[in-house]
Amino acid sequence: MSEAREMIRVEKLNKSFGDLHVLKDIDFTVKESEVVVLIGASGSGKSTLLRCLNYLELKNDGKIIIEGKETDPKKDDLNKVRQKVGMVFQHFNLFPHKTVLENVIEAPTQVKKIKKSQAIEEAKTLLDKVGLADKADDYPSRLSGGQKQRVAIARALAMKPDIMLFDEPTSALDPELVGEVLATMKELAKEGMTMVVVTHEMGFAREVADKVVYMHDGRIVEEGEPHQLFDHPQEQRTQEFLSSIL
Amino acid sequence: MYLNIIKFGEALIESRSLFAEAAWLTLKLTAVSIFIAIFIGLFFALLKISNIKVLEWIANLYIFIVRGTPLIVQIFVFYYGLTEIAMISGFWSATLGLAFHNGAYIAEIFRGSIQSIGKGQNEAGRSLGMNRSQTMKRIILPQAFRRALPPLGNQFIIGLKDSSLAAFIGLTEIFGAATTMGANTFDYMTWLLVSAVYYLILVFLLTLLVSFIEKKMAASD
Ligand SMILES: Nc1ncnc2c1ncn2[C@@H]1O[C@H](COP(=O)(O)OP(=O)(O)O)[C@@H](O)[C@H]1O
Ligand SMILES: [Mg+2]
């Protein structure tokens, strides 16, 4: 059996904001096509970990190896790494002054310098895939939260990333809109996208995740397959956390 | 009183070609100086948010000087400085003086509007692989500019009225025309009121223009 390629390897990652030690000796790997779900209480460092992976935050110590390559923020071009690692935010962060289509073609045309006509064609395919082909010419302010998040997913996919990071993609949504975004993410997982997802949607974690990672106070306390972690948590902290949210 | 209104109306009509020319000069002074001031303002706004101490300090010094001295002094410094050293015309020394002055206020307007754009916008751009300047130019500035429009419009109006100070270095813009006519006729009041009418009309037109632009740019709301 051939081992799947390692997409992300994090070793002894430490990160502080001033005196606040937020990530403590994090070790963490994600293999190709794996879906890893990060859970944990608010403030436990999930977002910071995710943001370290695409260098929105810079680590203090340790290793971050993306697709076999370690990047030095001082010497290397972070924009190159970020093109390979797409990110979806809790608050969508769509560009409000651009239409849906313009949001999606912005990075391919500006960063990859792809011809506009080709970018538009690819964007339309992506919008079709997330079920928003008919919204191409609307501005984000006209969309529902669920639609906005699906545009944000299409926008990230337009760069053809190898890895997608999701930071609580459904937390800002009205409950009835959560399903459509999760469905899009499931679709993506099924196609083999490597994904790291911070979420409180335990149903999604159970169904889609290959691995669930529980974080507490800047450390990874426990990780395992969903049924193992949810049904037979080994650590007391994990048990407490799970019973607090269920 | 009745006679005065007749007289005022006659003055308004008789002087129309003089004041049309003067108003045109006022418009040119305002438009060109504000145009330059926008670039000066943007430049110093970017210095202020650069997170580089020396550059911030330079921007602060510039704003400190402009705010701390009267505009009339600035105009005269530019006038004597530039006309004698660089052989620049009165029009250009007034224009550059006004640009120098308005640039500081516009820098503060831009700085505020840039900083009002949430950091999520910057992160979205960066996470897509856009570099700092692409993100600034294509994502942050267009939104910041829109937010800056109402205060910018206000600054344009202030700039238009402030251009009257160019009269003191001999330019026959609206206020200059009024004082010249006042001196010739010994009737300052009539001509100052005539100038006020022209200023009101220009400010009114400028207000319309700004709200037109604001509406056009609101398409994405
Ligand atoms: N930019 C920052 N500056 C200072 N402290 C921060 C910053 N970002 C996050 N923190 C702090 O780091 C801790 C972890 O935050 P975060 O990674 O957002 O946790 P989570 O996503 O699990 O809720 C929190 O205590 C938070 O207040
Ligand atoms: Mg978070």
Side-chain angles (χ1 to χ4, degrees), chain A residues 51 54 79 82-83 85 87 89 93-98 106-107 110-111 113 139 141 155-156 159, chain B residues 119-132 134 138-140 142-143 146 219-221:
Chain A
R51 293 158 58 83
N54 73 348
N79 304 315
R82 293 193 182 116
Q83 291 174 40
V85 186
M87 181 138 184
F89 302 88
N93 298 351
L94 291 181
F95 306 135
H97 59 304
K98 294 180 181 290
E106 177 68 13
Q110 297 300 315
V111 178
K113 314 283 182 201
Y139 283 96
S141 57
R155 180 178 69 176
M159 288 300 282
Chain B
K119 75 180 171 73
Q121 289 292 305
N122 184 54
E123 291 182 350
R126 301 309 301 278
S127 76
L128 288 164
M130 299 173 77
N131 62 32
R132 269 172 72 105
Q134 282 171 327
R138 302 202 37 101
I139 308 301
I140 309 296
Q143 297 180 59
R146 250 188 63 185
S220 58
D221 287 340

Side-chain angles (χ1 to χ4, degrees), chain A:
Chain A
M1 218 179 84
S2 73
E3 270 290 282
R5 190 156 70 106
E6 221 169 58
M7 300 298 276
I8 301 174
R9 165 172 284 275
V10 171
E11 288 176 10
K12 293 260 170 297
L13 174 66
N14 280 278
K15 167 74 185 171
S16 300
F17 293 109
D19 289 336
L20 188 66
H21 197 174
V22 174
L23 295 179
K24 302 166 183 165
D25 289 332
I26 299 280
D27 289 309
F28 174 72
T29 59
V30 183
K31 291 188 189 133
E32 186 158 31
S33 295
E34 243 184 357
V35 176
V36 174
V37 166
L38 289 179
I39 60 172
S42 164
S44 56
K46 308 178 298 292
S47 297
T48 306
L49 174 54
L50 218 56
R51 293 158 58 83
C52 281
L53 297 178
N54 73 348
Y55 300 92
L56 284 180
E57 302 289 354
L58 297 182
K59 65 179 186 198
N60 295 108
D61 215 3
K63 276 188 182 170
I64 298 172
I65 300 161
I66 306 285
E67 297 188 69
K69 270 211 297 280
E70 210 184 337
T71 302
D72 180 352
K74 288 200 189 72
K75 282 190 226 131
D76 301 321
D77 185 3
L78 296 182
N79 304 315
K80 279 275 180 297
V81 192
R82 293 193 182 116
Q83 291 174 40
K84 290 282 157 211
V85 186
M87 181 138 184
V88 173
F89 302 88
Q90 182 177 354
H91 296 288
F92 331 123
N93 298 351
L94 291 181
F95 306 135
H97 59 304
K98 294 180 181 290
T99 63
V100 164
L101 187 74
E102 288 165 350
N103 264 273
V104 179
I105 66 170
E106 177 68 13
T109 53
Q110 297 300 315
V111 178
K112 285 192 172 166
K113 314 283 182 201
I114 286 173
K115 271 226 309 276
K116 197 170 170 193
S117 57
Q118 189 194 337
I120 289 176
E121 210 164 294
E122 292 178 5
K124 286 192 166 156
T125 310
L126 281 170
L127 288 173
D128 198 30
K129 188 167 138 176
V130 300
L132 292 171
D134 56 329
K135 302 287 182 195
D137 297 323
D138 282 356
Y139 283 96
S141 57
R142 304 276 307 271
L143 304 182
S144 73
Q147 292 171 330
K148 282 181 191 163
Q149 196 58 299
R150 285 184 282 149
V151 173
I153 293 172
R155 180 178 69 176
L157 290 176
M159 288 300 282
K160 302 192 170 84
D162 298 331
I163 300 167
M164 285 282 283
L165 310 174
F166 294 83
D167 192 358
E168 301 201 28
T170 59
S171 296
L173 299 179
D174 292 336
E176 73 272 18
L177 301 176
V178 168
E180 61 192 61
V181 172
L182 292 181
T184 303
M185 291 167 64
K186 278 180 207 167
E187 192 68 29
L188 204 55
K190 228 188 279 168
E191 290 169 12
M193 176 61 77
T194 307
M195 296 164 55
V196 184
V197 183
V198 175
T199 185
H200 300 297
E201 294 294 330
M202 296 304 154
F204 174 84
R206 249 179 212 283
E207 189 183 339
V208 184
D210 298 292
K211 185 163 77 179
V212 179
V213 175
Y214 169 61
M215 285 182 71
H216 176 78
D217 195 21
R219 289 182 199 281
I220 293 179
V221 174
E222 184 170 355
E223 59 177 76
E225 288 178 24
H227 66 88
Q228 179 195 328
L229 192 121
F230 287 130
D231 301 333
H232 309 288
Q234 303 297 303
E235 302 287 331
Q236 170 127 29
R237 284 212 185 284
T238 320
Q239 289 163 16
E240 283 167 11
F241 174 72
L242 289 173
S243 59
S244 76
I245 56 163
L246 294 178

Side-chain angles (χ1 to χ4, degrees), chain B residues 1 30 46 116 142 159 163 191 208:
Chain B
M1 197 61 206
T30 308
L46 292 175
S116 79
S163 71
W191 295 105
L208 285 186

